[in-house]
Amino acid sequence: MSAPAVKADGPGAVLRRPGRLSRLVRREPAIVAACYLLAAIAVTALLWKSPAARIVAGNPGDPDQAAWWMRHAAEAVARWRLPGLITAGMNAPAGVSAMWNPSILLPAVVLSPVTLAFGPQVSLNVMLTLGFAGSAGSLYWVLRRWRAGPFAAACAGLAYGFSPALAQAAVGHYDLQFAVFPPLIAHCAARLVTGRGRPVANGAGLGATAALQLLSAEELLFNTVLAIVVGLVVAGLSRVIVARSAQQGELAPAPLPPVPGDRPAEEALLTGNALLTGNALLTRKALLTRKAVPGWLPAVLDAARPLAAGLLAAAAVFLALAGYAVWTQFAGPLAQHGSPYLIDYYKNDLEGLVQPSRLQLIHSQASAAFADKYPGGPAEYLGYLGWPLLVILVWGTCVLWRRLAVRVLSLTFLIMEVFALGGTLLFNGHVHGWLKLPWYYLQSYPLASSAIVDRFSIVADGAAAALLAVLVDEAWRACDGIAGPAIRRARARALLALAAAVVVVPLLPAPLPATAVEPVPPGWTQVLDALRLPAGAGVLVVPVPTGAFPAPLRWQATTGTPPDMVGGYFIGPIWNGQAYVGGPGLDKAGQYLNELWLASGTGPISSAGLQVTQEAQPAASVAAWIASTKVAAVVADTSPGSPLADYLSGILGSPAVQSGAMLGWRA
């Protein structure tokens, strides 16, 4: 039996049932999460028409590589093991390092049942959908924990989780598009440095989320940590400036609304739990009385103890979860250094901040043409934000500059966006090398030299979305303060919702365009099964997979065979440890086999993108190279009588098996 209706007190009161509002509040997170998930499904709808055979159009190679890593993890889980960090499944017999490649280890392990049941592309499409909804939900949850209002947090989650940067990353960069952990890492770090909650628990959360991000996308962890460091530096400098201004009677810190059951965030920063040293460490009482703190060293030590405890807990948890992976990367086999890409190549075009691509829900033919000309390709066109958001952020920052959260978020956003512009300015498609930007002076340092700077846009978008939440929340509270009839406040909130839509809607993506994956050639599985290879045997597949034509990786990922394969699409070291795409590269013999495959005309030449101009190789050289790979078989996508088939038959004898468009030899 339902509770009787009661009359609320106050003017304009209406009959209501007690508990109805509280039930709605309790269901709010689930409602918001469901809305995010529905929006993510709408964005990926074209993929779900045939999820096992469709990818986002515009970048066919990277999804083939990602599908291979999905299969790698699933096969390990099927044998009750974790996926190997060094594997010869690709680039046999030397192998590849999972830590130097976008191996998406954690998502691949979690989704391994899906991969084993439905195939790797279904898992990738699930990951893509969860990347949108999960990233939005992650920031929403964090902002609600910091007492942002429901409407403000929901808008910010939408602006981050469905941001242009994540929509463009969905074009093959699954590791970057799954940006669920950065808000959680920032949340744990902020709680630790502001003294909210127990330091050890906050530190453990920080270490755990950082480790999970490392095992999902290490590059995104670096970008997140850099943004957090920038935010801490901004907060520290801001505190010093505010403290000195308060002492001189020029500026008093603007208080934040109290948090029930917890200290206000502003007070937490001002009472010494932030990373500050020296005379700048002032208590709240000292700020209010505008006097320096005498004997600052005890205050420093008091503030440092819980922070140190939290950092030690973070380090312990991180090392327990990811220490071996980090050791393998930097001290194990196949360790490498540097970037495989040209420094200062992948960076944002300044004009791209206001030029939406054709993936955006709202764009023009001119803006789409501009984005199409971006040299880094669609997966790296990450800078777009749009005039409405940029204008509202600038205006709101100026109005609310006295608030610490506004200063930290706005400057962090600005600095990360400037870093994303690279070392020299790219404007309207032209590089202006004479103008050196801040990243120019950082890009030669370790770790920074390996960064692809346009990807800083992902964490910059997170800072922008959080700042938007602060601004919307402030406007919502201003609506509550409007005097007069309730209809005035309702109209003000409606106008605020309309303004938020004007800002957020231009950021949203249209349904992502889909295209078919490279199909498995007829006879692939039959030939490999008929060869009856021993467990773990390596196979040389022709065409030999490379970064230019990784389709054989897709064939291997789709079918799960063969277990080990020569060549691949990967990042590996050359003789001096420098990282390159493809490592030392394919041997001349392998290049010549690919040339013969092209000449045979049996493969999808028009879609291969494979350009080989290798001179003819003696049969003895090719035979020696095949022997050096230690493979048990050679499988070629060709037909009897083709130049490739005749050449291989001259080396290996007549094919042992034939099926469809595939020939197989035992080596």
Side-chain angles (χ1 to χ4, degrees), residues 409-423:
L409 290 171
S410 62
L411 291 178
T412 300
F413 162 70
L414 176 62
I415 292 170
M416 295 306 295
E417 282 291 351
V418 171
F419 283 170
L421 295 175

Side-chain angles (χ1 to χ4, degrees), residues 47-451:
L47 301 174
W48 289 108
K49 289 184 176 180
S50 181
R54 287 194 169 202
I55 59 173
V56 179
N59 181 15
D62 288 342
D64 290 344
Q65 182 192 49
W68 189 94
W69 285 108
M70 277 287 180
R71 175 64 68 177
H72 167 68
E75 292 295 331
V77 171
R79 294 173 174 79
W80 299 98
R81 299 197 305 263
L82 291 175
L85 300 178
I86 303 293
T87 174
M90 189 193 307
N91 193 39
V96 297
S97 171
M99 297 307 298
W100 285 103
N101 286 273
S103 53
I104 48 177
L105 288 172
L106 177 65
V109 169
V110 173
L111 292 172
S112 57
V114 179
T115 301
L116 294 171
F118 305 105
Q121 192 55 50
V122 175
S123 290
L124 289 173
N125 288 331
V126 169
M127 182 180 173
L128 203 66
T129 305
L130 295 180
F132 285 118
S135 301
S138 174
L139 183 61
Y140 163 81
W141 181 85
V142 167
L143 291 172
R144 292 293 282 136
R145 291 280 292 176
W146 287 86
R147 302 304 192 267
F151 179 71
C155 288
L158 197 64
Y160 170 66
F162 295 84
S163 65
L166 293 190
Q168 298 290 151
V171 188
H173 290 174
Y174 300 91
D175 56 328
L176 300 175
Q177 190 270 346
F178 192 79
V180 174
F181 296 115
L184 303 178
I185 297 171
H187 168 67
C188 294
R191 286 182 62 85
L192 182 60
V193 299
T194 57
R196 295 166 68 95
R198 293 176 295 175
V200 173
N202 290 332
L206 177 61
T209 51
L212 295 178
Q213 181 61 73
L214 178 86
L215 298 173
S216 300
E218 186 174 15
E219 183 177 6
L220 199 51
L221 174 62
F222 173 78
N223 298 350
T224 303
V225 170
L226 180 60
I228 291 173
V229 170
V230 169
L232 289 176
V233 171
V234 170
L237 293 176
S238 178
R239 183 180 172 193
V240 171
I241 294 171
V242 169
R244 290 179 178 175
S245 299
Q247 286 179 288
Q248 298 169 6
E250 298 173 358
L251 178 67
L256 292 180
V259 176
D262 206 349
R263 291 183 300 171
E266 185 85 6
E267 181 180 355
L269 283 171
L270 294 175
T271 51
N273 283 326
L275 281 171
L276 297 174
T277 57
N279 289 321
L281 184 63
L282 303 175
T283 64
R284 181 179 177 85
K285 181 178 179 181
L287 279 176
L288 295 177
T289 58
R290 299 172 184 169
K291 295 179 181 178
V293 176
W296 53 266
L297 183 57
V300 171
L301 294 177
D302 288 342
R305 288 192 190 99
L307 182 61
L311 291 176
L312 286 175
V317 172
F318 179 83
L319 291 175
L321 295 176
Y324 178 68
V326 174
W327 179 89
T328 300
Q329 180 174 9
F330 293 102
L334 301 177
Q336 51 197 279
H337 58 79
S339 173
Y341 308 105
L342 294 175
I343 293 179
D344 206 36
Y345 180 75
Y346 291 105
K347 57 186 178 182
N348 284 346
D349 189 312
L350 181 60
E351 189 172 345
L353 293 176
V354 293
Q355 294 282 3
S357 77
R358 62 182 69 254
L359 294 187
Q360 298 306 124
L361 189 63
I362 299 176
H363 67 273
S364 66
Q365 290 299 322
S367 69
F370 175 88
D372 291 342
K373 295 177 183 177
Y374 177 69
E380 299 291 348
Y381 188 76
L382 308 179
Y384 174 70
L385 289 170
W387 281 116
L389 178 63
L390 292 174
V391 169
I392 200 67
L393 292 184
V394 172
W395 176 81
T397 298
C398 293
V399 172
L400 299 176
W401 180 251
R402 294 168 69 91
R403 289 195 57 176
L404 178 63
V406 171
R407 295 196 297 274
V408 171
L409 290 171
S410 62
L411 291 178
T412 300
F413 162 70
L414 176 62
I415 292 170
M416 295 306 295
E417 282 291 351
V418 171
F419 283 170
L421 295 175
T424 56
L425 181 64
L426 174 64
F427 180 72
N428 195 21
H430 302 287
V431 176
H432 301 272
W434 58 271
L435 182 57
K436 303 297 189 293
L437 300 175
W439 191 255
Y440 178 85
Y441 304 98
L442 300 174
Q443 62 188 10
S444 60
Y445 288 95
L447 295 182
S449 62
S450 300

Side-chain angles (χ1 to χ4, degrees), residues 343-597:
I343 293 179
D344 206 36
Y345 180 75
Y346 291 105
K347 57 186 178 182
N348 284 346
D349 189 312
L350 181 60
E351 189 172 345
L353 293 176
V354 293
Q355 294 282 3
S357 77
R358 62 182 69 254
L359 294 187
Q360 298 306 124
L361 189 63
I362 299 176
H363 67 273
S364 66
Q365 290 299 322
S367 69
F370 175 88
D372 291 342
K373 295 177 183 177
Y374 177 69
E380 299 291 348
Y381 188 76
L382 308 179
Y384 174 70
L385 289 170
W387 281 116
L389 178 63
L390 292 174
V391 169
I392 200 67
L393 292 184
V394 172
W395 176 81
T397 298
C398 293
V399 172
L400 299 176
W401 180 251
R402 294 168 69 91
R403 289 195 57 176
L404 178 63
V406 171
R407 295 196 297 274
V408 171
L409 290 171
S410 62
L411 291 178
T412 300
F413 162 70
L414 176 62
I415 292 170
M416 295 306 295
E417 282 291 351
V418 171
F419 283 170
L421 295 175
T424 56
L425 181 64
L426 174 64
F427 180 72
N428 195 21
H430 302 287
V431 176
H432 301 272
W434 58 271
L435 182 57
K436 303 297 189 293
L437 300 175
W439 191 255
Y440 178 85
Y441 304 98
L442 300 174
Q443 62 188 10
S444 60
Y445 288 95
L447 295 182
S449 62
S450 300
I452 299 177
V453 296
D454 65 299
R455 298 174 182 180
F456 292 150
S457 298
I458 295 174
V459 291
D461 286 2
L467 178 58
L468 178 65
V470 175
L471 303 182
V472 171
D473 222 20
E474 190 71 21
W476 192 271
R477 283 198 295 269
C479 294
D480 291 339
I482 296 176
I487 189 63
R488 292 185 179 178
R489 291 185 288 276
R491 289 173 179 171
R493 293 193 188 102
L495 289 175
L496 175 59
L498 178 61
V502 170
V503 171
V504 173
V505 170
L507 303 176
L508 302 181
L512 296 171
T515 188
V517 301
E518 184 71 35
V520 177
W524 169 269
T525 302
Q526 291 81 356
V527 165
L528 289 169
D529 289 344
L531 288 171
R532 301 185 182 277
L533 302 176
V539 174
L540 171 63
V541 177
V542 185
V544 186
T546 64
F549 185 60
L553 297 181
R554 169 70 65 174
W555 307 339
Q556 185 186 25
T558 301
T559 62
T561 56
D564 295 345
M565 190 161 58
V566 176
Y569 178 22
F570 62 95
I571 297 173
I574 60 172
W575 61 272
N576 62 356
Q578 171 64 42
Y580 279 98
V581 175
L586 189 62
D587 188 273
K588 289 182 178 180
Q591 295 179 40
Y592 182 59
L593 291 179
N594 281 348
E595 176 115 334
L596 289 175
W597 175 76

